[in-house]
């Protein structure tokens, strides 16, 4: 138990360290909005996207973290085993590695499973230097995708809210931060910490 607890803390500390050194981007006026999109003809296929409020063909993502919530016990395709294991969703822009915090894993390190409100929480991290997608203001930029099982309809699927109750509970228990954040260079100028919000949410899946 102590070994798992220690491993989780080290792993999550490393994840947060990727995005811990930030400077405000307000001066540049650039913002990124996080969201999840269903395929219009295949509603169980979900794509994580961002919407920029700027246009540039000179964009480099140095770090990025995307945190989302799926009903507890949901098995995605590709699959992601619970911490301390990791997996990867289908890469569209960049190389993305996913970690899955389940209520049972959370309880094993002393947390109250109720803190997660019936969700498994995923943190998906960009491999440094692996993405440089052009961005057009107001147009969705796909990051990675995954497929849900046909019976995934018990709760909304959502992006984890920065500073929300679930994020705060995880931070208080594990001493780390599951959040949504990007460090981006736009037109050669560094603009860091471009998180602006989430849209459109929540999503629900139809019965099979």
């Amino acid at each position: 138990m102590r070994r798992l607890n220690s491993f989780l803390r080290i792993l999550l500390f490393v994840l947060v360290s990727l995005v811990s050194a930030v400077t405000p981007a307000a001066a540049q006026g650039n913002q990124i909005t996080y969201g999840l999109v269903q395929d219009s003809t295949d509603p169980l296929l979900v794509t994580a996207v961002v919407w920029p409020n700027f246009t540039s063909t000179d964009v480099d993502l140095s770090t990025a973290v995307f945190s989302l919530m799926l009903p507890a016990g949901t098995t995605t395709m590709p699959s992601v085993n619970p911490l301390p294991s990791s997996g990867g969703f289908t890469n569209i822009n960049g190389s993305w590695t996913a970690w899955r915090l389940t209520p049972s894993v959370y309880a094993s390190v002393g947390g109250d499973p109720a803190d997660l409100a019936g969700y498994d929480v995923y943190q998906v991290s960009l491999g440094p230097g692996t993405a440089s997608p052009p961005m057009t203001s107001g147009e969705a930029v796909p990051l990675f995708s995954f497929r849900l099982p046909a019976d995934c309809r018990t709760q909304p699927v959502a992006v984890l809210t920065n500073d929300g109750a679930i994020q705060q509970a995880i931070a208080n228990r594990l001493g780390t931060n599951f959040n949504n954040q990007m460090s981006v260079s736009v037109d050669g100028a560094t603009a860091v910490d471009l998180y602006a919000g989430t849209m459109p949410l929540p999503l629900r899946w139809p019965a099979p």
Side-chain angles (χ1 to χ4, degrees):
M1 184 76 68
R2 290 182 179 176
R3 181 174 298 177
L4 175 60
N5 192 0
S6 176
F7 182 89
L8 287 175
R9 290 178 183 275
I10 292 171
L11 176 60
L12 296 174
F13 175 78
V14 170
L15 285 176
V16 173
S17 295
L18 292 174
V19 293
S20 61
V22 300
T23 56
Q28 287 85 3
N30 296 329
Q31 292 184 328
I32 292 286
T33 302
Y34 280 68
L36 297 169
V37 174
Q38 288 173 280
D39 187 286
S40 60
T41 60
D42 183 1
L44 296 178
L45 180 62
V46 183
T47 300
V49 303
V50 290
W51 290 271
N53 73 342
F54 57 89
T55 298
S56 176
T57 57
D58 182 10
V59 176
D60 288 308
L61 278 62
S62 55
T63 61
V65 176
F66 197 117
S67 295
L68 61 145
M69 304 183 301
L70 304 181
T74 298
T75 302
T76 61
M77 183 184 299
S79 63
V80 177
N81 291 326
L83 282 162
S85 297
S86 64
F89 289 141
T90 302
N91 301 327
I92 299 173
N93 276 306
S95 177
W96 298 84
T97 301
W99 290 265
R100 177 183 173 196
L101 178 63
T102 65
S104 60
V105 170
Y106 187 66
S108 75
V109 293
D112 181 353
D115 289 346
L116 304 188
Y119 284 105
D120 289 344
V121 181
Y122 292 74
Q123 185 163 80
V124 189
S125 181
L126 175 71
T130 63
S132 55
M135 294 189 176
T136 300
S137 181
E139 293 188 7
V141 178
L143 303 177
F144 55 86
S145 64
F146 55 94
R147 181 176 294 279
L148 295 169
D151 62 353
C152 182
R153 61 184 187 273
T154 57
Q155 291 184 231
V157 175
V159 177
L160 183 67
T161 302
N162 281 14
D163 300 319
I166 294 177
Q167 186 206 34
Q168 290 300 314
I170 293 172
N172 291 339
R173 169 52 54 187
L174 299 179
T176 192
N177 191 9
F178 275 55
N179 65 355
N180 302 283
Q181 190 178 50
M182 278 190 174
S183 300
V184 187
S185 173
V186 182
D187 297 329
T190 300
V192 184
D193 192 17
L194 298 187
Y195 172 77
T198 60
M199 65 179 288
L201 296 172
L203 302 180
R204 285 188 182 272
W205 313 110

